[in-house]
Amino acid sequence: MSQINDIPDHYPAWTWQMQDEPKDLALKNTVTVPLAKGDVLVRNAVIGLNPVDWKVLTGALVNWEAGKVPGVDGAGTVVAVGDGVSGNWVGRRVAYHQSLALPGSFAAYTPVPARALMPIPDALDFHTAASFPCPGLTAWQALGKIPASSGARILISGAGGAVGHFLVQLAVARGFDVSVLCNARHWERLRSLGASNARHGPLADDNELPEALQGRFHAVIDAVNSQHAERLVPALQANGHLVCIEGRLENWPNPPFGQALSLHEVALGALHNHGNDEAWHQLTQAGEELLQAMADKQLQPETHHICPFSELPAWLDALKHRQFSGKALVEM
């Protein structure tokens, strides 16, 4: 194993105590364990907070034991590598998206599979890099479900969040005509990123899809929930595409030989559980290109809200209750 010389035997980490609320996370000293084959150890500089980080605390989505370190996104410096990993990684600045099943980013150090690493361009800071992996890679995957068609109209529902922020920019860059469905407070920002049309959303439970949106779109990408996505089916043209980021439709929404829609679900966790090295290479290569685009000011990150490590649970709770707009980032 190759490493630098100042790795401690213990380090601080926020840990899950089988409680549902972010404020119930406990700060503990975690023992540094030998790296598994194919892993590296990252000294975290900045941790990115995401909605999934509070959603998993109920335990319904995971099979955790008390003491598990949560967190999927981080950026820092590789300080050690395990067997099978090139020593050239040591000292490199990287961003990563971690599996929910592995020790997470809510810690001073995180062991990460080397295949999940994305080198950070020299011109990009740790804060911006840490804000990217989960929402940026999710947006990239979602858009990849849709066949390219220059000028085709797509609708992004729930576009006011982090995934929507990247989706609008990536979709515009690929030549789509982008409409958004979200709270009006996000309209100006999303229009500045290239959205051509904005409408209020999500749809209220007793509201039907406006007639002006029916049958207009080559694709709909929904980031609200599966029930909301199903209500947007009438917005699609024949042979259209419905992409679900939160959940998925339980039943096909049309009879055979009807609209002939294509249904898609998006989950970064699928790669952690089922992806091979080639699939990971494609994902991290796309991530590197998008990080470079941010370094070149061609892709805009969200507004940063920076807090100290000691306040991580409070900020995760604030994220859960939508007390701010933008990206919560935790400095070590």
Side-chain angles (χ1 to χ4, degrees), residues 27-254:
L27 187 61
K28 302 286 187 179
N29 270 328
T30 299
V31 176
T32 305
V33 299
L35 289 172
K37 183 178 180 180
D39 282 2
V40 308
L41 187 66
V42 177
R43 182 172 59 211
N44 292 314
V46 180
I47 300 158
L49 301 186
N50 297 285
V52 67
D53 294 326
W54 60 259
K55 292 177 181 180
V56 297
L57 298 183
T58 64
L61 302 176
V62 291
N63 184 25
W64 288 354
E65 296 181 356
K68 168 70 168 65
V69 179
V72 294
D73 279 358
T77 303
V78 176
V79 296
V81 299
D83 291 343
V85 181
S86 170
N88 292 333
W89 278 108
V90 175
R92 298 190 69 178
R93 301 188 321 133
V94 297
Y96 63 86
H97 182 273
Q98 178 71 308
S99 168
L100 290 171
L102 298 176
S105 61
F106 290 4
Y109 294 82
T110 303
V112 181
R115 68 182 187 175
L117 300 177
M118 294 172 287
I120 300 173
D122 291 341
L124 198 66
D125 59 88
F126 280 128
H127 296 87
T128 303
S131 75
F132 167 77
C134 187
L137 295 176
T138 297
W140 179 83
Q141 281 194 334
L143 201 57
K145 306 284 186 177
I146 304 170
S149 180
S150 182
R153 291 188 295 266
I154 70 170
L155 176 65
I156 300 173
S157 169
V163 175
H165 182 89
F166 287 110
L167 259 174
V168 169
Q169 297 178 79
L170 296 179
V172 169
R174 294 190 187 184
F176 290 114
D177 181 352
V178 179
S179 296
V180 295
L181 199 64
C182 59
N183 191 287
R185 69 177 182 271
H186 302 298
W187 290 358
E188 182 178 356
R189 169 173 57 88
L190 295 175
R191 283 183 174 129
S192 73
L193 298 175
S196 63
N197 185 46
R199 287 181 171 268
H200 188 76
L203 299 176
D205 291 341
D206 56 349
N207 286 355
E208 294 184 0
L209 185 72
E211 185 176 352
L213 297 180
Q214 295 183 17
R216 293 192 68 230
F217 297 99
H218 171 63
V220 170
I221 303 176
D222 183 79
V224 180
N225 56 48
S226 58
Q227 293 79 21
H228 193 264
E230 187 169 10
R231 296 176 63 199
L232 295 176
V233 167
L236 289 164
Q237 300 168 341
N239 298 302
H241 302 266
L242 179 62
V243 183
C244 298
I245 292 175
E246 292 286 339
R248 66 176 185 179
L249 270 62
E250 293 297 324
N251 300 300
W252 211 271
N254 302 120

Side-chain angles (χ1 to χ4, degrees), residues 1-9 41 43 78-80 90-91 109:
M1 182 177 74
S2 177
Q3 66 178 58
I4 64 173
N5 295 323
D6 61 348
I7 300 174
D9 294 331
L41 187 66
R43 182 172 59 211
V78 176
V79 296
V90 175
Y109 294 82

Side-chain angles (χ1 to χ4, degrees), residues 7-30:
I7 300 174
D9 294 331
H10 298 77
Y11 56 85
W14 288 102
T15 60
W16 184 64
Q17 301 301 311
M18 303 183 72
Q19 301 295 320
D20 295 356
E21 296 301 324
K23 291 184 177 180
D24 291 323
L25 292 174
L27 187 61
K28 302 286 187 179
N29 270 328
T30 299

